[in-house]
């Protein structure tokens, strides 16, 4: 008697990836169990997009860990506007702009923005441990850091608008990435030198898939620290600054600390 489910010959490879491979088949269709798992993953991805950003709770956790915080909003008034009008997510709301411009003039080397993006779940889970892993590198590099800005309904380019208002030399925005069917909680980091509203996407460096199952916190913090050291030495980011953090000859000051931290 034939088995109702035919196992795929690549089944052993599933131990090495979350990708949907070697699912087997029932006749010409997916097995029921795999179909249900796909439906669950799709629902989790949709939920990640629409889950509200609980910035108050995150701000409290950051403040308990020694970070100062501010909260701002983009021009997208709600999630519907954010999803249908990406341009509104790239600019500050008028009241948020007034808040930032009204702060005492304390231009910092680095501005850190934590933004909901397309997955607030990613921000809730990954932002605080990543910042904690980054803190020793910031101390080593001697960078002054502005209060962490928590941004609602934000696209990547909102960091440029915020950075221009605060006159930061560089901005790193930690933002929820577009959810995948195996990674609804993946965080991205975008680093931009000299943030202003005229910056192009090619003038940023990106570190993606930050989560324990992807690029873990120590490695992500090290990559960002390496890019920060190079950005401040060269005065640039983007396509002119290649990520060569795997080249020992270019580690600079961050490698010894990375080794001490168990990297």
């Amino acid at each position: 008697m034939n088995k109702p489910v035919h196992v795929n010959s690549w089944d052993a490879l599933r131990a090495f990836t979350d990708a949907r491979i070697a699912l087997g088949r029932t006749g010409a269709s997916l097995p029921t169990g795999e179909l249900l798992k796909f439906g669950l993953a799709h629902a989790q991805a949709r939920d990640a997009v629409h889950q509200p950003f609980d910035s108050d709770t995150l701000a409290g956790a950051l403040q308990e860990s020694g970070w100062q915080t501010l909260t701002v909003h983009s021009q997208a008034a709600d999630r519907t506007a954010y999803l249908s009008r990406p341009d509104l997510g790239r600019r500050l709301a008028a009241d948020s702009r007034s808040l930032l411009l009204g702060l005492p003039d304390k231009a910092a080397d680095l501005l850190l923005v934590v933004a909901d993006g397309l997955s607030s779940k990613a921000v809730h889970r990954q932002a605080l441990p990543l910042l904690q892993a980054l803190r020793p590198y910031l101390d080593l590099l001697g960078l002054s850091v502005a209060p962490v800005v928590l941004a609602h309904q934000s696209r990547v380019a909102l960091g440029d608008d915020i950075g221009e208002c605060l006159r930061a030399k560089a901005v790193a925005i930690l933002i929820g990435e577009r959810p995948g069917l195996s990674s609804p909680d993946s965080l991205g980091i975008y680093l931009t030198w000299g943030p202003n509203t005229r910056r192009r996407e090619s003038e940023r460096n990106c570190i993606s898939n930050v989560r324990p199952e992807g690029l873990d916190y120590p490695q992500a913090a090290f990559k960002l620290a390496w890019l920060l050291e190079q950005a401040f030495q060269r005065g640039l980011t983007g396509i002119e600054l290649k990520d060569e953090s795997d080249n020992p000859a270019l580690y600079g000051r961050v490698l010894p600390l990375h080794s001490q931290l168990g990297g």
Side-chain angles (χ1 to χ4, degrees), residues 105-124:
D105 186 9
K106 296 180 180 179
D109 293 325
L110 177 63
L111 167 66
L112 295 166
V113 177
V114 178
D116 49 5
L118 287 166
S119 175
S120 59
K121 180 182 291 187
V123 175
H124 295 152

Side-chain angles (χ1 to χ4, degrees), residues 14-86:
R14 299 184 70 177
F16 303 100
T17 178
D18 290 332
R20 282 182 163 72
I21 63 170
L23 301 182
R25 62 181 176 85
T26 301
S29 303
L30 287 174
T32 301
E34 294 296 342
L35 189 61
L36 292 174
K37 290 178 183 177
F38 179 86
L40 174 61
H42 188 260
Q44 289 173 331
R46 289 176 62 89
D47 287 348
V49 171
H50 293 283
Q51 180 179 343
F53 180 24
D54 186 1
S55 61
D56 290 341
T57 297
L58 181 57
L62 287 167
Q63 290 164 13
E64 288 180 4
S65 299
W67 302 90
Q68 294 180 294
T69 66
L70 296 168
T71 301
V72 300
H73 296 258
S74 76
Q75 292 179 6
D78 52 37
R79 206 60 175 168
T80 300
Y82 172 81
L83 294 173
S84 60
R85 290 284 306 275

